[in-house]
Amino acid sequence: MKTSFKLALCVLLGISTNAFAADCSALKACDKKVCEINKQLSMAKSDNNQHKVDGLNKALKYTTEYCTVGGLRDDIQDKIDDAMEDIEDYKSDLSEAESENKMNKVQKYERKIKQENDKISMLKLELADLE
């Protein structure tokens, strides 16, 4: 009897967690951030990871008190600026590798530049989603 109750509880928690996860995608800005933290908090609790639970509770408290759309926008813009700086560094390294005819490094820096450009594209989508 106890085993079937535990199984039913696990199934119920799994369904509610999946429903909860789906709800986050419909939210925007700070509401979405709070929802995502709550989702991670739920998973950390189910994993009995108290250290992570403590950190996520702290993040949740901070987010609910201080989160603003303007702050989120600034954070995303900072990430875009950092990625652009990384691209400039990689382009410099790429030039050097090309001049030294080191094809493995050329490919490496081309790959890194592409990854940063992809990252920027995703961040710009996030930024547009805030508006």
Side-chain angles (χ1 to χ4, degrees):
M1 187 73 168
K2 288 184 180 183
T3 304
S4 62
F5 176 74
K6 288 179 183 177
L7 180 61
L9 184 60
C10 288
V11 169
L12 182 62
L13 286 173
I15 291 170
S16 65
T17 301
N18 287 339
F20 192 63
D23 289 343
C24 290
S25 64
L27 300 173
K28 290 189 178 218
C30 296
D31 292 335
K32 184 175 185 174
K33 190 168 185 170
V34 167
C35 181
E36 289 170 349
I37 293 170
N38 277 321
K39 179 181 162 188
Q40 291 177 22
L41 186 58
S42 174
M43 290 188 307
K45 285 179 180 177
S46 69
D47 292 341
N48 292 322
N49 186 343
Q50 191 58 45
H51 181 69
K52 192 167 187 175
V53 168
D54 294 343
L56 288 167
N57 277 325
K58 191 178 206 179
L60 184 61
K61 182 178 183 223
Y62 182 85
T63 301
T64 53
E65 287 180 19
Y66 300 109
C67 184
T68 64
V69 174
L72 291 174
R73 191 176 295 120
D74 291 345
D75 288 345
I76 293 171
Q77 188 59 53
D78 288 345
K79 290 177 185 178
I80 291 171
D81 294 343
D82 289 345
M84 292 177 83
E85 286 177 21
D86 289 344
I87 288 173
E88 290 304 313
D89 291 342
Y90 293 143
K91 283 182 178 179
S92 173
D93 294 339
L94 174 62
S95 254
E96 186 178 324
E98 287 173 334
S99 69
E100 294 174 359
N101 207 22
K102 295 183 176 180
M103 294 312 293
N104 61 337
K105 289 200 176 205
V106 167
Q107 292 171 347
K108 171 186 168 183
Y109 292 121
E110 286 174 342
R111 185 176 58 251
K112 286 184 177 265
I113 290 168
K114 183 187 178 318
Q115 287 172 340
E116 291 299 317
N117 279 322
D118 291 346
K119 183 178 178 180
I120 289 171
S121 295
M122 294 300 293
L123 289 167
K124 284 183 178 180
L125 287 173
E126 283 183 44
L127 195 58
D129 193 40
L130 289 177
E131 297 173 359

